[in-house]
Amino acid sequence: MGIATSDKPFTERIKDAEADKFMRASVAKAQDAQFQKRTEARRQLGHWEGWRDLSAEIRQHVIKHLPDYLEEFSDNVQKNGGHVFFAKDGNEASAFIKQLAIKKNVHHVVKSKSMVTTEIGLDKELLTIPGLSLMETDLAEFILQEDNWDEPTHIVFPTLHKNRNQIQKVFEKLGYDGDNDPEHMARFVRHYLRNYFMQADFGITGCNFAIADNGMINLVTNEGNADISMAIPKTQVVVMGMERIVPSLKEAEVLDNVLCRSAVGQKLTSYCTFSKGKEADEADGPDDFYVVIVDNGRSKMLNTDFEPMLQCIRCGSCLNVCPVYRQVGGKGYGSIYPGPMGEVLSPILGGYQEFKELPYACSLCAACTETCPVKIPLHELIRHHRYVEMDELHLDHSPSNALLKAVGKGTSSPTLFNDAMRFAHIALEPFGKKTTPEDIKNLYPDGKINHLPAIAPKLAHGWVDVRDLAVPPKYHQNFRHWYRHYEEEEEQEND
Amino acid sequence: MISNYIFSIFKEAKCIQLMHACMKVCIFSTCIVDLLYPDVGKATVELLQRFGCETFFPDKQICCGQPTYNSGYDRETITTFKNQLDALLSIDADYIVGPSGSCVAMLHEYKNIFKDDPEYSKKAQILYDKSFELTQFIYRVLGILDCGAELDDTATFHRSCHMTRLLGERTAPIVLLEHVKGLELIPLHNIQLCCGFGGTFSAKEPLLSEAMVDDKANNVLKTKAHILIACEQTCLMNIGGRINRRRDGSHITIMHIAEVLNHNVDTSRITYVKDTDHVMVPANGNGVF
């Protein structure tokens, strides 16, 4: 189990996603709604750029001193009576948690949404334990679980690809007989899950931020399910990516502020919890408290050009502004981490072979970089993946590779470029058609090309199959000729 | 240095026209204009000369390098960068001005690319200081509000991603368009979304690009404007090219902003900003006089 969500080739996934009209409409609607909410929530805070600077600084500081902060956090968890396990990869983390569940003779596991548990494939691993029941308690993740473990398509809104009717169908299998009103359905799930909570003996949560100087876990949710997952079971396991750490509560306050506003457009989510193991004299909270800190490929980013990606706080706002995500939703990416952050993260965590197409599914429009609350230069990192693929790993052996290298030659030699200008019209004119009054104005003065023979390069087809191309002007009518002529006239006038 | 001194005297005295007359501007044509759209280049030159700038065109310039650099071919592109840098700096101009926010942003990026190269890092810094996108130059450097243009029609403006997000310029084109006589600007819905051009992206990922440009084309057509304007000829090639393929927008005229600002000009209408304080002194002080 990796972070891949599909075995289909990239192009097929894109075609599937684009054929899903409902999904595209719902993603577009969600993006537009989030645009309004996010902008307003950030505006209310004021000095947004200052908050971004501060947040980026906090994250960079932590990443720079990561071993120290991890040690401090781990010491404090243990001081509080908890246990810490450092897992090199997903297998180690899952195996540890599975062994723990077996040792504790656990029967009823409740989980609250966590990307890192999805990343390490924890659910499926735990379900191999005979007699164990596992229940995802986050509403959206619950829907996915009950829909035959459908894959999440957004890191904050996992069921963005489903509409209320589809969700109603999922719930009908569980005995729901109401209408498709979200409130009614949510109430049903609330009752449905209550029983599982009450008998749960093992709770698994993620972690938004781990506080180094007091060993606490900070979680932000809107449903409160994470809080019950922590309060009732006797054993609690927190699974966190190794970079999700902040020095103290002060920094957590800054980051919670930007996280909630960026993720869901709220000042703060309904629940913002700081917790550790059970305090003496208190009734609720776990007797046994474990924190599993997962590397799983993250340390590969340290001290490389990709290090800024470790700043990510998983708010998902880059997905919500991405024009490519808007068209293909989460499924098009084939990774549990979709959108811009996923294009950077997936090839690192899951390998270039599996995800080599992802960095190219981007127009480098930089909307992600602009919105990122911790100032990760996402579009630059996406471009950097292309560099690693082309110049370091040489993954492309197609004719497009040769063609682009030829473009490289052509744009570095004035003689070759001059030849290109000289022959552009002659070479392309045979494919051109005359401009007619039905054509758009001022784009095709010398004719248009709307069809290419099959043998034309794939890249040329890529352009012309979708849009009309202008026939280049005749050599003596191009800009440079005009300029030379214009200058000469000017000089004559001046004389 | 002397030119800087004289420039500051004109600035003090608020003699803005005299300030322009001592500006040497190197034209950065961009390869798209060289290969496909001479009219955009012509409009750029005519505009700059109208405001008194002396223009120069170094023949050895080719391309900013984005097609290959943004496709991941860093090594192949280094020669392209160096050729472009040397070409644009071969003329001792005060400013380098191009009709594309994206290509100018790329010139700015040379500073990061060559940061470890002792020779080219210095050149890249000079290039960074001197290079401006056309409308940015007209508004922020020349201090012009109204270019004197007239265009009696309805138009919508496509805000290009690299111009706004990488170059950080979103005000200049709007201010200048708002001053074009007779031009009615209709807001474009979801103006912040990319049109799906993305350089080689449009050719490498036609499926994705098509879906994106269709969205943009729909929004453009919904405005019912007759003219589509942008500071980026490549975005216009993409949106216009798609509309033309769909055959659902024959009423639309595509205009680069240089063509709009150069349309039906009455020089008596040219207006300058009142406060010349934001008008910049050339970054280098070399040899105008």
Side-chain angles (χ1 to χ4, degrees):
Chain A
M1 176 68 198
I3 59 170
T5 59
S6 163
D7 302 329
K8 282 188 181 172
F10 175 69
T11 315
E12 253 177 69
R13 292 200 308 263
I14 299 296
K15 281 185 182 155
D16 285 355
E18 291 195 345
D20 192 344
K21 291 260 169 3
F22 160 74
M23 181 277 294
R24 286 171 67 187
S26 99
V27 171
K29 203 173 141 196
Q31 278 199 340
D32 292 346
Q34 275 302 317
F35 183 88
Q36 301 286 342
K37 286 178 75 177
R38 185 179 59 244
T39 310
E40 180 56 18
R42 288 172 173 181
R43 193 195 57 76
Q44 283 176 355
L45 186 64
H47 306 288
W48 176 246
E49 286 306 312
W51 285 91
R52 281 182 86 207
D53 287 338
L54 185 57
S55 304
E57 211 176 290
I58 292 170
R59 294 298 296 146
Q60 283 160 1
H61 169 84
V62 167
I63 302 308
K64 198 171 156 204
H65 304 284
L66 195 55
D68 301 328
Y69 280 117
L70 280 170
E71 195 181 336
E72 187 187 356
F73 172 70
S74 160
D75 287 351
N76 283 321
V77 170
Q78 289 172 55
K79 254 183 231 162
N80 297 340
H83 315 274
V84 177
F85 179 74
F86 284 92
K88 195 169 89 242
D89 55 26
N91 290 338
E92 239 182 62
S94 294
F96 173 80
I97 298 167
K98 185 178 169 185
Q99 283 311 313
L100 185 66
I102 293 171
K103 198 174 90 190
K104 299 250 173 198
N105 197 19
V106 161
H107 295 291
H108 303 286
V109 178
V110 283
K111 267 190 75 204
S112 77
K113 175 181 164 18
S114 138
M115 284 311 297
V116 69
T117 61
T118 313
E119 176 188 320
I120 64 175
L122 181 60
D123 298 349
K124 280 163 199 168
E125 191 61 35
L126 284 178
L127 282 171
T128 60
I129 302 175
L132 179 133
S133 80
L134 182 141
M135 187 56 69
E136 177 55 66
T137 61
D138 172 82
L139 180 53
E141 292 281 352
F142 173 73
I143 296 166
L144 294 179
Q145 174 189 307
E146 294 306 321
D147 195 13
N148 200 22
W149 297 95
D150 193 8
E151 297 294 346
T153 57
H154 191 292
I155 62 168
V156 176
F157 314 109
T159 48
L160 197 56
H161 56 294
K162 290 192 190 303
N163 66 15
R164 52 170 78 180
N165 296 331
Q166 290 168 316
I167 293 167
Q168 187 187 7
K169 288 233 160 56
V170 173
F171 290 166
E172 276 168 0
K173 286 188 288 183
L174 305 175
Y176 177 68
D177 57 2
D179 57 13
N180 67 1
D181 184 327
E183 215 173 291
H184 298 160
M185 292 196 280
R187 188 169 301 138
F188 167 77
V189 175
R190 194 182 155 90
H191 285 294
Y192 187 90
L193 288 178
R194 195 49 56 121
N195 293 331
Y196 284 89
F197 276 127
M198 297 315 286
Q199 56 185 348
D201 45 15
F202 199 77
I204 301 172
T205 69
C207 165
N208 287 104
F209 299 110
I211 321 292
D213 74 348
N214 65 11
M216 283 182 129
I217 301 297
N218 175 207
L219 273 168
V220 293
T221 72
N222 266 325
E223 295 168 29
N225 60 312
D227 302 66
I228 312 183
S229 303
M230 290 186 287
I232 294 175
K234 290 282 167 242
T235 309
Q236 189 202 348
V237 178
V238 175
V239 190
M240 61 177 264
M242 62 179 239
E243 79 287 7
R244 311 299 301 263
I245 209 154
V246 289
S248 73
L249 285 168
K250 269 197 301 200
E251 290 80 15
E253 186 195 347
V254 174
L255 292 172
D256 279 340
N257 247 304
V258 299
L259 172 64
C260 298
R261 284 166 212 266
S262 301
V264 285
Q266 289 170 271
K267 300 196 265 210
L268 204 58
T269 47
S270 310
Y271 300 87
C272 180
T273 311
F274 295 85
S275 71
K276 51 187 181 182
K278 192 196 269 183
E279 289 277 343
D281 312 326
E282 276 189 11
D284 54 2
D287 295 336
D288 266 336
F289 179 75
Y290 290 85
V291 182
V292 178
I293 302 176
V294 183
D295 180 335
N296 205 29
R298 286 167 173 73
S299 54
K300 276 191 283 189
M301 287 179 260
L302 286 167
N303 298 317
T304 71
D305 289 303
F306 292 110
E307 191 177 277
M309 194 57 215
L310 289 169
Q311 287 163 228
C312 181
I313 57 173
R314 305 290 192 269
C315 73
S317 66
C318 58
L319 282 64
N320 299 343
V321 298
C322 177
V324 174
Y325 184 86
R326 189 181 183 89
Q327 302 301 338
V328 297
K331 290 212 165 149
Y333 293 85
S335 162
I336 61 158
Y337 295 119
M341 57 82 75
E343 289 189 12
V344 179
L345 213 49
S346 305
I348 298 171
L349 301 183
Y352 281 101
Q353 277 306 335
E354 187 145 16
F355 294 107
K356 63 175 183 291
E357 289 99 347
L358 281 197
Y360 288 89
C362 167
S363 65
L364 300 178
C365 81
C368 46
T369 303
E370 182 183 52
T371 200
C372 179
V374 289
K375 299 184 89 168
I376 303 170
L378 286 155
H379 78 283
E380 287 175 21
L381 298 183
I382 291 170
R383 198 212 67 85
H384 196 71
H385 271 315
R386 298 180 183 179
Y387 158 72
V388 173
E389 290 187 19
M390 293 301 129
D391 267 4
E392 285 188 354
L393 303 174
H394 305 286
L395 293 181
D396 189 355
H397 303 290
S398 71
S400 303
N401 180 49
L403 184 66
L404 278 164
K405 287 193 169 165
V407 171
K409 291 268 179 301
T411 54
S412 57
S413 152
T415 326
L416 285 176
F417 186 66
N418 198 42
D419 289 343
M421 284 188 292
R422 186 181 296 277
F423 296 112
H425 179 79
I426 302 166
L428 290 174
E429 212 251 334
F431 304 107
K433 296 197 177 76
K434 280 218 172 74
T435 310
T436 68
E438 279 71 48
D439 282 317
I440 212 163
K441 313 294 178 294
N442 201 32
L443 201 59
Y444 304 107
D446 296 284
K448 63 181 178 192
I449 300 165
N450 58 13
H451 179 77
L452 285 177
I455 55 151
K458 202 175 157 210
L459 284 177
H461 271 287
W463 179 274
V464 175
D465 289 355
V466 176
R467 12 172 148 56
D468 295 351
L469 178 69
V471 173
K474 293 196 179 94
Y475 183 54
H476 64 271
Q477 286 170 347
N478 75 14
F479 171 67
R480 294 186 180 203
H481 267 268
W482 173 86
Y483 189 82
R484 249 172 256 140
H485 190 66
Y486 184 76
E487 245 187 352
E488 281 160 18
E489 270 183 10
E490 290 260 301
E491 274 166 26
Q492 277 164 9
E493 271 175 35
N494 290 345
D495 293 343
Chain B
M1 292 319 282
I2 183 110
S3 72
N4 257 13
Y5 177 66
I6 295 174
F7 193 94
S8 341
I9 294 177
F10 289 152
K11 189 173 170 167
E12 289 283 286
K14 304 212 187 286
C15 290
I16 205 156
Q17 281 93 336
L18 286 171
M19 279 163 68
H20 297 168
C22 58
M23 282 181 188
K24 280 169 87 173
V25 176
C26 167
I27 304 286
F28 162 39
S29 56
T30 76
C31 60
I32 287 294
V33 165
D34 275 329
L35 284 168
L36 288 170
Y37 295 103
D39 290 349
V40 176
K42 291 177 199 172
T44 303
V45 172
E46 285 172 3
L47 272 166
L48 293 173
Q49 296 206 346
R50 180 170 306 121
F51 302 131
C53 303
E54 194 182 351
T55 62
F56 297 86
F57 185 87
D59 260 340
K60 290 209 161 127
Q61 65 173 298
I62 303 174
C63 167
C64 65
Q66 283 196 78
T68 44
Y69 183 68
N70 285 346
S71 305
Y73 299 92
D74 294 26
R75 273 178 220 141
E76 272 82 3
T77 322
I78 287 295
T79 352
T80 308
F81 292 147
K82 288 189 172 173
N83 173 76
Q84 188 71 356
L85 227 170
D86 288 330
L88 292 174
L89 294 183
S90 67
I91 284 164
D92 198 10
D94 301 303
Y95 294 102
I96 295 159
V97 177
S100 157
S102 179
C103 302
V104 170
M106 187 68 225
L107 298 187
H108 285 193
E109 185 61 22
Y110 289 9
K111 209 173 88 165
N112 293 329
I113 293 165
F114 287 111
K115 64 177 187 295
D116 298 325
D117 183 317
E119 184 193 349
Y120 277 87
S121 61
K122 284 191 201 108
K123 293 185 183 178
Q125 179 66 47
I126 298 172
L127 186 74
Y128 179 91
D129 292 335
K130 285 186 178 187
S131 46
F132 289 85
E133 184 274 334
L134 177 67
T135 60
Q136 188 177 44
F137 180 73
I138 294 175
Y139 176 61
R140 298 197 188 273
V141 181
L142 298 182
I144 286 167
L145 270 182
D146 189 332
C147 296
E150 180 179 1
L151 185 56
D152 268 314
D153 217 332
T154 53
T156 193
F157 177 71
H158 165 67
R159 192 174 80 182
S160 307
C161 303
H162 285 186
M163 171 106 167
T164 44
R165 300 194 180 111
L166 304 189
L167 201 62
E169 181 61 72
R170 48 184 84 204
T171 318
I174 295 299
V175 171
L176 296 178
L177 285 178
E178 279 173 349
H179 283 84
V180 172
K181 195 181 165 195
L183 189 68
E184 187 194 335
L185 281 176
I186 302 169
L188 182 61
H189 180 61
N190 273 336
I191 189 168
Q192 79 284 357
L193 285 179
C194 168
C195 71
F197 174 66
T200 50
F201 168 78
S202 55
K204 270 195 142 168
E205 302 294 340
L207 284 171
L208 293 173
S209 178
E210 179 180 338
M212 289 156 78
V213 69
D214 270 340
D215 253 14
K216 186 58 77 181
N218 291 341
N219 284 327
V220 168
L221 294 174
K222 260 185 232 155
T223 64
K224 302 237 187 321
H226 294 146
I227 304 171
L228 173 64
I229 305 170
C231 295
E232 216 72 59
Q233 190 65 14
T234 47
C235 301
L236 291 172
M237 256 169 81
N238 181 43
I239 308 169
R242 181 61 188 165
I243 294 176
N244 211 44
R245 175 61 51 87
R246 301 190 336 182
R247 311 306 291 165
D248 57 357
S250 65
H251 62 284
I252 288 192
T253 301
I254 298 292
M255 286 180 96
H256 186 277
I257 194 162
E259 296 174 288
V260 177
L261 300 177
N262 194 39
H263 194 266
N264 257 353
V265 173
D266 175 353
T267 48
S268 70
R269 273 203 307 271
I270 296 178
T271 318
Y272 295 87
V273 289
K274 292 227 163 47
D275 182 10
T276 50
D277 285 351
H278 85 295
V279 178
M280 302 176 211
V281 173
N284 75 327
N286 298 327
V288 179
F289 293 95

